[in-house]
Amino acid sequence: MSGSSGMRWFRMWRYPAKWLIFRLDERLLMFIVAAIVGVGAGFSSVFLNRSIEAMSEALQHLRHFWWAITLPAAGAALSSLFLDKIIKEGPGHGIPEVIDSVSRHGGLLRFRSIVSRLISSCLTIGSGGSAGPEAPVVMSGAAIGSNIATFFSLNDRQRITLVGCGAAAGIASIFNAPIAGIVFSIEVILGEWTAPNIIPIAIAAVAGTEICRVMNGNQIVFSNPGFHVSLMDILACIGLAILTAAASVLLTRTMKSIHHTADHATYIPKFIRAALGGLVVGGIAIYLPVVLGEGYQPVRTMISDVYTPGLILVAFAMVAKILATSVTLGSGGSGGVFAPSLVIGSLAGLTWHRLLVLLWPGAAPALTSEGGFALFGMAGMISGILQAPLTGIFLIVEITGGYDVILPLILVSALSATLCHHIEHASFYVKDLVDKGQLLRPGTDERVLADLSVNELIERDCITVPQNMPLRELIKIVKSSRRNYFPVEDEDTGTFLGLIHLDDVRPYLFNQGMYDAVIVGQIMNTDVKTVDPEDDLSQVLDYMDTHGLYSLPVVSENRFAGMLSKATLLDQYRKELMVQTSE
């Protein structure tokens, strides 16, 4: 064997995975890696579910003691300490961080995010905090996808796709719902429906679901007895959609308000704030145990038509679950809003059904059972809080097997999401990003321009002139220059003073008597809008459009750096758009 062949085989042996995988077709490569990501997310889901169940069962025998109200407080405090002191991450739901990484950072997520939210949410939910396990699993799966992409040196577009694969596999495995996982990832996380994304995401969702089924069995999360849907049910769903939209808005605003209050209470340590939130949940649970944990068992009883509390108590429970979820997550606990939204939606469905029967007893025979309305309410709540109707529809269909109620599910989901969008300009998960101008969806000006900078576009071939230069000398420069703009500087300090346009010189061209009587400083324009190299290009382009400008001077630390022209900006915009949309 020759020396070069031996060295090649040595490299293949030392780096077998990378050597083999990069010889594959790109699409085949993505399919294989997507399956790996899906398997990883599936195991994360199984780990979190079993950990929460084990912790809940271990604490169950303590629930009858009076001091059991401190259990959610202890769990939330430990969760906060773990994130803040050990992992060095701030509190949060996880999914906004994933969306932000896709939006602005090419899908980059830290390696420790694979496990950080799994552990913190287990402490929160297992102790009784009102939160769901789906957001931590999405975060874990997305981080798995991001770090695998980094390991194989994949580009940003491929990494973002793998982040979407991890998110899809997370939802698919936690709910045993592969289609819902695919739709959620594309509709909420990535924000774009493209062929290169869909197939790898589908493979990851299937892989994650299969891991869950092998470990836990192929079980529908919430089985239903089957419902017969009538025209009366369809009409009644309009009112239910209004109720679920109101509940979604109330949950969003209450959570944001509590989060804002907690953030400003800097004189209280973070873990104490989280503990106080858990204490409130524990206090509510004395009278309404339905607020504890993820709440799947109450949902099962509501769908099965065996939930016994009356109308008033059900309505109170709905509001209490909204408050408990807001306090848990707003004060620093860890978890998601999917599971609480399912509980709130079910309670909303029961409330609406029982209210209709109370106000109009004759309508009872024409309506399906209250369990059916619990399903409709779940879809409306998920669609409203996420402003993602397809996710709401497919999630409820898959986790309940409720294909026979697809029509009312579509109606409630679409109306609830539309009403919520009319009231709240953004969904719960992206509201903060939108308010900060940091949500950059694919195909938008903001997303394309975010990958460009002023420094990349500066035209530096401009000739600067001193303010005391005679007009005669300036005209000589104009004759030899191809530029229409001439920046003026202080000849001693180099400070940018203003700008001369060719139109400013034109009135003097045919009056040579003025050539030595006029200096540059007398005809320059000092009222000039300038651009800083760190300025946002989207805002710069908007300013150009608004004021009909085609060029602006770039000034850094009071010194002229070059010109920024709209022609160059749009040319680079087109090139960047081609890169971002290429398959």
Side-chain angles (χ1 to χ4, degrees):
M1 180 183 293
S2 67
S4 60
S5 298
M7 182 60 67
R8 184 170 65 252
W9 279 103
F10 171 75
R11 287 196 295 267
M12 289 170 56
W13 170 81
R14 189 177 179 187
Y15 303 107
K18 288 189 178 184
W19 192 91
L20 291 174
I21 205 163
F22 278 111
R23 266 63 179 170
L24 299 173
D25 173 79
E26 180 182 339
R27 294 198 176 197
L28 183 58
L29 162 68
M30 291 300 293
F31 296 167
I32 294 173
V33 179
I36 297 172
V37 172
V39 169
F43 279 115
S44 293
S45 169
V46 172
F47 167 78
L48 181 58
N49 262 334
R50 293 190 175 181
S51 299
I52 291 174
E53 289 175 5
M55 187 172 178
S56 298
E57 290 176 5
L59 298 177
Q60 187 60 41
H61 71 284
L62 303 176
R63 296 291 180 192
H64 67 278
F65 293 107
W66 67 267
W67 48 264
I69 64 172
T70 63
L71 293 178
L78 289 173
S79 172
S80 178
L81 285 170
F82 173 77
L83 285 178
D84 188 39
K85 302 300 182 183
I86 299 177
I87 300 297
K88 307 296 184 183
E89 287 184 353
H93 317 293
I95 292 179
E97 288 86 342
V98 174
I99 296 173
D100 184 49
S101 77
V102 169
S103 176
R104 300 192 300 141
H105 306 295
L108 284 171
L109 289 167
R110 289 166 293 201
F111 181 81
R112 62 177 179 263
S113 295
I114 295 174
V115 297
S116 62
R117 304 300 167 133
L118 298 180
I119 297 173
S120 63
S121 63
C122 177
L123 293 169
T124 298
I125 303 168
S127 62
S130 180
E134 69 292 327
V137 172
V138 167
M139 182 74 164
S140 177
I144 290 172
S146 175
N147 283 276
I148 287 179
T150 300
F151 175 77
F152 286 118
S153 302
L154 303 183
N155 59 39
D156 284 1
R157 177 174 56 81
Q158 293 168 320
R159 184 188 297 109
I160 288 172
T161 298
L162 291 180
V163 167
C165 289
I171 292 294
S173 56
I174 204 77
F175 288 116
N176 190 17
I179 298 176
I182 297 168
V183 174
F184 169 80
S185 178
I186 294 173
E187 190 175 30
V188 177
I189 301 296
L190 301 185
E192 63 172 344
W193 297 77
T194 59
N197 286 342
I198 292 175
I199 298 178
I201 287 172
I203 291 173
V206 170
T209 305
E210 285 304 312
I211 292 297
C212 178
R213 290 177 178 178
V214 169
M215 303 292 287
N216 296 333
N218 184 14
Q219 300 174 351
I220 294 178
V221 181
F222 306 114
S223 59
N224 73 82
F227 304 102
H228 174 72
V229 177
S230 66
L231 178 60
M232 183 65 71
D233 293 316
I234 301 293
L235 296 175
C237 282
I238 297 174
L240 179 57
I242 296 173
L243 179 59
T244 55
S248 299
V249 172
L250 180 60
L251 176 60
T252 299
R253 294 188 175 180
T254 305
M255 200 177 314
K256 187 174 180 64
S257 176
I258 293 174
H259 181 70
H260 179 79
T261 302
D263 276 353
H264 283 74
T266 53
Y267 53 89
I268 303 176
K270 290 181 180 179
F271 76 97
I272 297 294
R273 292 178 236 167
L276 290 174
L279 197 61
V280 172
V281 175
I284 296 173
I286 294 175
Y287 304 99
L288 294 168
V290 70
V291 304
L292 288 174
E294 57 193 12
Y296 287 165
Q297 185 55 41
V299 173
R300 292 188 180 97
T301 60
M302 284 184 267
I303 293 175
S304 301
D305 294 326
V306 293
Y307 196 71
T308 56
L311 171 60
I312 300 299
L313 200 56
V314 169
F316 270 118
M318 177 180 66
V319 176
K321 186 65 175 177
I322 290 174
L323 177 60
T325 304
S326 300
V327 168
T328 298
L329 299 179
S331 64
S334 185
V337 296
F338 267 72
S341 294
L342 295 177
V343 180
I344 296 166
S346 298
L347 292 167
L350 259 66
T351 300
W352 182 244
H353 184 276
R354 293 181 181 181
L355 184 62
L356 285 178
V357 172
L358 177 66
L359 298 177
W360 191 7
L367 294 173
T368 189
S369 69
E370 59 186 28
F373 274 75
L375 288 188
F376 309 155
M378 289 161 63
M381 192 68 194
I382 290 290
S383 300
I385 199 74
L386 299 181
Q387 294 187 17
L390 291 179
T391 299
I393 294 166
F394 286 109
L395 178 65
I396 303 309
V397 165
E398 285 194 283
I399 66 177
T400 65
Y403 291 93
D404 50 341
V405 294
I406 189 71
L407 292 180
L409 288 181
I410 292 173
L411 179 62
V412 174
S413 296
L415 283 178
S416 183
T418 302
L419 289 171
C420 286
H421 182 69
H422 180 73
I423 300 170
E424 291 284 347
H425 63 280
S427 72
F428 164 75
Y429 281 134
V430 301
K431 186 173 176 58
D432 286 342
L433 297 177
V434 171
D435 290 342
K436 296 174 184 176
Q438 295 176 350
L439 182 64
L440 310 176
R441 286 303 196 188
T444 62
D445 284 346
E446 290 81 4
R447 179 68 185 87
V448 176
L449 293 173
D451 286 342
L452 300 175
S453 68
V454 173
N455 277 322
E456 293 179 69
L457 307 176
I458 294 178
E459 299 172 351
R460 304 181 187 274
D461 59 341
C462 299
I463 302 174
T464 58
V465 296
Q467 62 175 333
N468 294 320
M469 174 182 282
L471 180 61
R472 182 180 299 278
E473 297 301 319
L474 176 62
I475 290 177
K476 291 179 182 178
I477 293 174
V478 170
K479 289 180 180 178
S480 61
S481 174
R482 296 182 179 180
R483 286 284 178 183
N484 293 328
Y485 290 97
F486 301 91
V488 182
E489 295 180 339
D490 185 291
E491 52 193 344
D492 295 324
T493 64
T495 302
F496 175 76
L497 300 175
L499 204 64
I500 291 179
H501 189 270
L502 185 59
D503 290 343
D504 301 324
V505 180
R506 190 171 284 113
Y508 302 96
L509 288 177
F510 302 102
N511 187 354
Q512 295 189 16
M514 301 294 291
Y515 281 16
D516 297 310
V518 175
I519 61 174
V520 165
Q522 293 174 305
I523 61 175
M524 70 176 177
N525 181 10
T526 58
D527 185 21
V528 180
K529 167 69 175 177
T530 62
V531 177
D532 187 272
E534 301 301 320
D535 281 351
D536 183 89
L537 276 175
S538 179
Q539 296 178 359
V540 172
L541 185 58
D542 286 344
Y543 185 87
M544 286 181 164
D545 289 339
T546 302
H547 294 84
L549 300 175
Y550 294 93
S551 292
L552 286 173
V554 180
V555 177
S556 177
E557 298 180 350
N558 294 323
R559 292 181 177 272
F560 178 79
M563 295 295 293
L564 176 66
S565 75
K566 182 184 284 189
T568 301
L569 194 159
L570 294 179
D571 182 57
Q572 287 298 116
Y573 176 100
R574 179 175 176 273
K575 292 177 181 178
E576 182 62 30
L577 181 63
M578 292 172 64
V579 170
Q580 291 188 13
T581 56
S582 62
E583 297 186 5

